[in-house]
Each structure stands twice: as structure tokens, then as C-alpha cells.
Amino acid sequence: MSDSAEIKIEKIRASTRKFSMVCGVIKHAISIGCILASLKILFVGLQPFLTSNPEAIKAIALIIEKINVSNITGYLLASATATGWYIERKGKKRAIRQKGKYQKMLESSDDYRSSSGLTKSGETPGGKEE
């Protein structure tokens, strides 16, 4: 290919990346707008209950107390942490597999190379940790 064709290709790639970034920003703006609109609808819906009388406020506070928000928050944080660990671990195993494949290709011509006996994912055979 000529230099001008390569320049055109790079310009197209750059404009594609720019378009993708703009679409990402727009997507996040729409998401934030939807969250804010949901909160607005929630508060407008609760306003008649909260301004009517003190008993209504007490009833809503009792409902929130019975829901036990602190436990729910703890469970959500624990599940988010476990999910994050699982995703991170899968990524590490994938990276180890890729590294092993490329390392095997590179060291295939080395006669003095001995195998460690690890599986393709980098674990000990039979799943035993030493």
C-alpha cells in the first residue's frame, strides 16, 4: 500500500475511535439522566406521604427500619467483591494460558527445557496446591 492509503486508513480508524468515545459519553449521560429522573419521580411520589402528617413519616421510617438497609448493603458489597474476584481470576487464568502458549512456541527448539508439569491454565495437575 502507498503512504497516502495508509494515512487514509489511520484517519478512518481515528475517526472511528473518536465516534466510539462520543457514543460512550452520550451513553453515560443518558444513564445518569435516567437515574436522576427516577429519583425525581420517587421523591415526587413520596411527597404527599411525607407532607401529610407525622404518622406517615413515622410509618415510612418504620418500613425503612424493617427493611434493614445495612444488611442489604453488606450483602451487595460482598456479592460485588466476589464477582470482582471471579472476573479477575478468570482474566489471570486466560493470561496464563496465552503466556504458556507463546512460551511453549518460543521454547520448543530448546533441547534442555524441562516441563514443570502444570496444566495449560497454570494450575498443578489434579488441582492440588503444593
Side-chain angles (χ1 to χ4, degrees), residues 4-115:
S4 64
E6 289 178 13
I7 291 172
K8 287 180 183 177
I9 290 172
E10 285 304 316
K11 284 182 180 180
I12 291 170
R13 285 184 183 152
S15 67
T16 304
R17 282 191 295 265
K18 182 179 177 183
F19 179 74
S20 175
M21 290 170 62
V22 168
C23 286
V25 169
I26 291 171
K27 180 182 89 169
H28 287 298
I30 290 172
S31 298
I32 290 171
C34 288
I35 290 171
L36 292 175
S38 299
L39 289 173
K40 174 74 173 173
I41 291 170
L42 178 71
F43 288 130
V44 167
L46 285 177
Q47 189 174 10
F49 296 108
L50 297 176
T51 57
S52 61
N53 57 14
E55 288 81 24
I57 296 172
K58 191 181 243 184
I60 291 176
L62 186 62
I63 289 171
I64 291 173
E65 182 182 327
K66 294 294 182 183
I67 289 176
N68 209 349
V69 176
S70 61
N71 280 350
I72 292 172
T73 305
Y75 290 131
L76 289 175
L77 287 175
S79 63
T81 303
T83 303
W85 171 83
Y86 179 74
I87 291 170
E88 184 265 341
R89 183 69 184 145
K90 275 182 67 174
K92 276 186 180 177
K93 285 187 177 188
R94 183 195 55 78
I96 290 170
R97 277 194 305 274
Q98 291 292 93
K99 178 194 163 285
K101 181 176 83 172
Y102 292 128
Q103 187 174 357
K104 191 176 233 178
M105 285 175 22
L106 180 66
E107 295 175 345
S108 63
S109 62
D110 188 2
D111 295 333
Y112 299 104
R113 167 92 171 112
S114 64
S115 175

